[in-house]
Amino acid sequence: MQKTRSPLIVANWKLNGGTDLICTSVASFLRKKFRVKIGIAPPYVYISNMANFLRNSQIMIGSQNVSKFESGAFTGETSAQMLKEVGCEFCLIGHSERRQVFLENNASCHTKVASALAAGLMPIICIGENAQQHDLGLTKHILYRQLQESLLGQDIKNKRIAIAYEPIWAIGSGKAASPESVQQVHEYIFNELCTIFDEDSAKNMRILYGGSVNKNNAAQLLAMPNVDGLLVGGASLDPEHFSEICALANQITPEVELTS
C-alpha cells in the first residue's frame, strides 16, 4: 500500500520525566519545522504545562491512558473530556503495561476508545503479542482478537484512529522486530481494519510500530510500506535522540502529503 500521508512519531514517557525533561524537550523542537506529525505523551501532571509550552508549535500533546468512565465516584481516574479540556489531542489505549500490570482487557479498551472518540481525542490502540505467543505462532490470532474486541461497532465517521503494534517481547528489550516482519504484521492489521470497517476507512488509520525503536532502526522501519509511524519509549526520554528520530522521519516524508 502506497503511503498517502506523513508519518506520526509519538513519544511515550511512561512514568518518567520532570521539569528538566519538559524544558529540554521543548527546547529541542523550538524553531524546527517538521512535515511529520509529532506527539508527546507525558505523565498526567505535566500534560497541561506541556500543552501550554507547545501551544504554538506543531507538537501534539496526548495522554498515556484514559478512563472508561465519564464522571462519578472513581478515585484516581481522568476522563476523555478532561484530557481534551487541558489540551490533549490523542491518548494511548491498551498499552501492554496497562494490560499486564493493571489487568486491562479488550472490553475495557473498547469502552475507552468510544469515550475518546466521543470527546474528540484520537485513540492510539496498542496491540501486540508476548514472547510465548510469538514463539507458538499465535501473533495473528492475538491481534485479531485485540482488534475485533476493541474496535467492532465503533462510530468512526469523521474521526481519527491509530493502531500501534508493539510486540511485547521487544518493548524495552533493545531488540526490535525486523522491518520485514513488522511489514508483514502491519499488512495483516491493515487487512483486518478493512474487514472491521472498510478499505477507505482503513487507509485513513495510521499503523505505528513500537518496541525498542531508536535512531538506528527508525529509518528502516519507516521505509516499510505499511509502517505509518513510530511509538517511541525509552529513546524519547533523551530529547536530542527523539528529535533525531523525528528528523529521520522528516527526511523520508514528501514535501506535499495527500492527507494529514
Side-chain angles (χ1 to χ4, degrees), residues 111-141:
T111 304
K112 290 184 176 189
V113 170
S115 296
L117 291 173
L121 296 173
M122 176 180 68
I124 301 177
I125 302 101
C126 301
I127 61 175
E129 80 283 9
N130 63 32
Q132 183 180 23
Q133 293 162 344
H134 175 75
D135 292 343
L136 291 173
L138 297 175
T139 297
K140 290 183 179 179
H141 172 74

Side-chain angles (χ1 to χ4, degrees), residues 49-228:
N49 283 342
M50 289 288 288
N52 184 51
F53 292 148
L54 294 169
R55 64 186 181 277
N56 295 319
S57 76
Q58 301 170 279
I59 313 301
M60 299 187 296
I61 297 300
S63 171
Q64 300 172 20
N65 185 35
V66 63
S67 177
K68 64 181 180 180
F69 303 108
E70 294 183 11
S71 64
F74 304 107
T75 301
E77 292 290 276
T78 305
S79 73
Q81 187 59 45
M82 291 173 180
L83 293 173
K84 183 70 174 178
E85 288 178 0
V86 297
C88 283
E89 296 186 53
F90 69 91
C91 60
L92 304 181
I93 293 176
H95 191 281
S96 62
E97 290 154 7
R98 298 292 312 176
R99 294 177 188 261
Q100 292 177 312
V101 179
F102 299 99
L103 305 181
E104 293 190 5
N105 54 36
N106 296 333
S108 66
C109 288
H110 189 280
T111 304
K112 290 184 176 189
V113 170
S115 296
L117 291 173
L121 296 173
M122 176 180 68
I124 301 177
I125 302 101
C126 301
I127 61 175
E129 80 283 9
N130 63 32
Q132 183 180 23
Q133 293 162 344
H134 175 75
D135 292 343
L136 291 173
L138 297 175
T139 297
K140 290 183 179 179
H141 172 74
I142 298 300
L143 300 186
Y144 174 83
R145 287 196 58 188
Q146 290 173 332
L147 289 168
Q148 288 280 331
E149 294 175 17
S150 298
L151 293 174
L152 199 63
Q154 299 284 4
D155 178 10
I156 62 167
K157 186 176 181 180
N158 300 321
K159 296 170 183 173
R160 298 178 299 162
I161 286 182
I163 306 296
Y165 169 58
E166 287 197 299
I168 299 170
W169 49 270
I171 298 174
S173 69
K175 182 181 179 181
S178 71
E180 295 75 18
S181 65
V182 171
Q183 163 58 21
Q184 291 176 0
V185 173
H186 279 219
E187 185 175 11
Y188 172 78
I189 293 170
F190 173 76
N191 290 334
E192 285 304 312
L193 292 173
C194 290
T195 300
I196 295 171
F197 301 110
D198 55 65
E199 185 172 354
D200 288 339
S201 296
K203 286 180 178 178
N204 287 324
M205 298 179 188
R206 287 182 174 89
I207 305 174
L208 317 182
Y209 171 76
S212 296
V213 173
N214 57 56
K215 63 184 180 182
N216 297 318
N217 58 26
Q220 291 176 304
L221 290 163
L222 288 169
M224 297 294 104
N226 284 88
V227 178
D228 302 314

